Amino acid sequence: MIRLPERKARSETKSAIRRTALRLDRQGQIERLASRPVDVLVVGGGVTGCYTALDAVTRGLTVALVERDDFASGTSSKSSKMVHGGLRYIEQGNLPLVRRSLLERQRFRRNAPHLVQRLPFVFPVLAQDGVFDARIATAFEGLLWTYDLAGGWRIGRLHQRLTVPEVLARAPRLRADQLKGGLLYYDSRTDDARLTLTIARTAAHFGATVLNGAACRGLLREGGRVRGATVEVDGREIEVRAGVVINATGVWSDTLDAMSDPGHRPRIRPAKGVHIVVPWTRLPVDGTVTVPVPGRARRATCTRWGDVVVVGTTDTDYDGSMDEVLCTASEMRYLLDGANTAFDADLTPDDVIGSIAGLRPLVSSKDGKEGATLDMSRDHRVTTDAYGLVTVTGGKLTTSRHMGELVVDEALKVLGRRARCRTAHLPLLGGAGYDAEATSATGGLGAHLGGRYGTEARFVADLFAEDPSLMEPIAPGSAHLRAEVVYAARCELARSVDDVLSRRTRMRVFARNLSVRAAPEVGRLLQRELGLSDDEVARQIDDYVSGIEREKTVLMEEVS
């Protein structure tokens, strides 16, 4: 059992341990949305919006959360998947953000131990052409001491220097001709989409109405103030009355702000991040290894995720469509160049088995003179406009809980009410009582389900008794079971093949071609659970496969 310092927090831990599976019936959620006004309406189902909903409902407010597409379908499923303090922010002089991030990192590790795991980071020190050469390694170690003292120590390990053999033990194909040693420290990683979904489900557990596929089409006003929104869901238009509306739509927040205030000036500056996925056998690393990208003033990270490695970097300006963000051929090649320069790997485009591209919602200053996105602040901003719309922008996954707390504090001012935040020590569903080390030691099916559902894995396993065929994988060679698709439909508001393969299982990212072979079986199971027509299932499968082909085509286009 997780130890919590407050009596009320201990009772909240018990309330987060479910005795039966939390089933989320879509029609039931829609009727709740249509039939009652709420204190708080959150627009946007990314990690910040979901934590805002959880914070509000645990303070005793009535809450509804609506998401146009799917939970985490935007930035929150396309992050670097790191829960970290941010060494770069020390370099930028933003020590308060680092302290807050490291505190929130520890809270995530305590409240969601099944989803947030400790991760070693290695910085090779090279004689030349490295992220750090021998001349600046000592200075950088000073940053690591600052990091440890700012809160990095909470993870249970301090940074350390590595010898050449110790570096090569963690990255055996690292080119050793210029290698002088390395630096090691610890942060954490998470499956960002499942973390966001779990926060949304925890909010539902406490009484919030949560809906994906529910688009905000306009704002409702009373007495010149925003007092709700018109929401379109499954072809039905619903007027949702609310005491306060919260805009948590990330890179799309300027659009909703402009609905409230026609004079609103855009303030979001999207920064694009890209990652490619290659087999671990082609790039064997333990944890994360940071390497230089030739000709660019940034670093790339190579992070092991099971039997694959995610290679990526973030923060380039972006001015394209925000509804279709893809990794391009040139972006893939500079990541491959970075990996091949640092490792004796000889990676080619044929080794790329998945890709991720997303946008981070950086907030411009009033004069818009920040320069490169790499140098822009990662601080969040919470504002209330003249019409009562509360908007949260900026920030990062690691500080999402704290951002939700601050947003609800602001919303309470609009409502004229007071209530204490309760999420700092509140376990997410599946986290209370979960023993990550013991579950990992079991290996096999137990470790697979435990690492995704925590203590709620038993509800997935219960489905085996209902139908033994649900123990079968959704495609030969996949670790994901048919039972996970059924659970996604019954308990996780999955509506489509894409919902399951892109965010409930992450196969689209980590096993793209295998996910195409799994699509028909996923469609069959969803049809049985959701009553979909043959035509609808065929359309979903075709849309999914077409989307994969589009990704691959853009990724393989010739660079002019």
Side-chain angles (χ1 to χ4, degrees), residues 13-58:
T13 300
K14 293 178 180 178
S15 68
I17 300 176
R18 294 194 59 85
R19 306 305 175 191
T20 58
L22 173 65
R23 298 189 63 155
L24 292 177
D25 173 67
R26 183 169 183 79
Q27 289 305 313
Q29 295 292 300
I30 292 173
E31 291 307 317
R32 280 164 57 91
L33 188 72
S35 63
R36 63 174 191 172
V38 293
D39 296 319
V40 176
L41 172 63
V42 182
V43 181
V47 67
T48 303
C50 290
Y51 238 131
T52 297
L54 176 57
D55 186 289
V57 75
T58 53

Side-chain angles (χ1 to χ4, degrees), residues 204 207 249 262 268 306 326 336 338 346 444 463 496:
T249 56
I268 296 300
L326 301 173
L336 290 175
D346 195 26
L463 297 172
S496 68

Side-chain angles (χ1 to χ4, degrees), residues 29 32-34 36-44 49 52-53 56-57 61-67 207-211 231 240-242 244-246:
Q29 295 292 300
R32 280 164 57 91
L33 188 72
R36 63 174 191 172
V38 293
D39 296 319
V40 176
L41 172 63
V42 182
V43 181
T52 297
V57 75
L61 302 173
T62 55
V63 178
L65 179 146
V66 294
E67 159 58 39
T209 300
V210 297
L211 262 176
V231 177
V240 183
R241 299 287 172 177
V244 61
V245 177
I246 294 174

Side-chain angles (χ1 to χ4, degrees), residues 344-518:
D344 183 15
D346 195 26
L347 295 170
T348 72
D350 291 337
D351 291 309
V352 177
I353 59 175
S355 62
I356 320 165
L359 301 177
R360 172 178 278 172
L362 301 182
V363 185
S364 296
S365 64
K366 292 181 180 179
D367 59 17
K369 296 180 179 179
E370 290 87 356
T373 56
L374 188 66
D375 300 320
M376 288 179 65
S377 172
R378 269 56 183 166
D379 287 312
H380 51 264
R381 185 179 299 174
V382 180
T383 59
T384 302
D385 72 10
Y387 306 95
L389 177 71
V390 178
T391 298
V392 54
T393 49
K396 59 199 188 94
L397 183 151
T398 308
T399 57
S400 57
R401 188 216 62 83
H402 181 57
M403 290 165 65
E405 176 182 347
L406 296 179
V407 175
V408 177
D409 286 345
E410 189 70 15
L412 286 170
K413 294 177 185 177
V414 176
L415 294 171
R417 296 169 61 176
R418 289 185 177 183
R420 185 176 63 86
C421 174
R422 298 171 62 189
T423 57
H425 304 288
L426 178 67
L428 302 182
L429 288 182
Y434 180 76
D435 188 331
E437 292 186 3
T439 302
S440 178
T442 64
L445 180 59
H448 168 75
L449 294 180
R452 293 170 49 73
Y453 305 96
T455 56
E456 295 215 320
R458 66 191 187 277
F459 301 137
V460 181
D462 286 346
L463 297 172
F464 302 158
E466 175 185 318
D467 180 356
S469 72
L470 296 180
M471 292 186 67
E472 298 295 321
I474 56 178
S478 172
H480 296 288
L481 309 180
R482 294 173 181 173
E484 295 179 70
V485 181
V486 173
Y487 186 82
R490 294 181 184 179
C491 302
E492 298 179 339
L493 287 175
R495 306 156 298 149
S496 68
V497 170
D498 183 59
D499 286 352
V500 172
L501 293 174
S502 292
R503 288 166 295 279
R504 303 306 185 278
T505 66
R506 311 315 308 275
M507 285 184 68
R508 183 168 186 162
V509 175
F510 298 136
R512 185 170 56 198
N513 291 340
L514 184 57
S515 77
V516 171
R517 295 196 291 274

Side-chain angles (χ1 to χ4, degrees), residues 261-389:
D261 180 3
H264 171 75
R265 298 180 62 182
R267 55 185 170 184
I268 296 300
R269 184 176 171 187
K272 185 179 182 181
V274 293
H275 298 78
I276 58 174
V277 181
V278 299
W280 181 82
T281 54
R282 300 286 290 119
L283 189 65
V285 296
D286 173 30
T288 290
V289 179
T290 302
V291 299
V293 177
R296 295 178 180 263
R298 58 169 50 88
R299 309 156 191 162
T301 56
C302 305
T303 302
R304 182 175 185 178
W305 199 285
D307 58 359
V308 301
V309 172
V310 179
V311 182
T313 188
T314 58
D315 298 319
T316 57
D317 267 316
Y318 181 80
D319 60 3
S321 168
M322 292 192 294
D323 293 322
E324 185 183 48
V325 185
L326 301 173
C327 182
T328 66
S330 61
E331 290 164 338
M332 173 189 69
R333 291 182 184 183
Y334 83 65
L335 288 173
L336 290 175
D337 287 345
N340 286 330
T341 299
F343 297 89
D344 183 15
D346 195 26
L347 295 170
T348 72
D350 291 337
D351 291 309
V352 177
I353 59 175
S355 62
I356 320 165
L359 301 177
R360 172 178 278 172
L362 301 182
V363 185
S364 296
S365 64
K366 292 181 180 179
D367 59 17
K369 296 180 179 179
E370 290 87 356
T373 56
L374 188 66
D375 300 320
M376 288 179 65
S377 172
R378 269 56 183 166
D379 287 312
H380 51 264
R381 185 179 299 174
V382 180
T383 59
T384 302
D385 72 10
Y387 306 95
L389 177 71

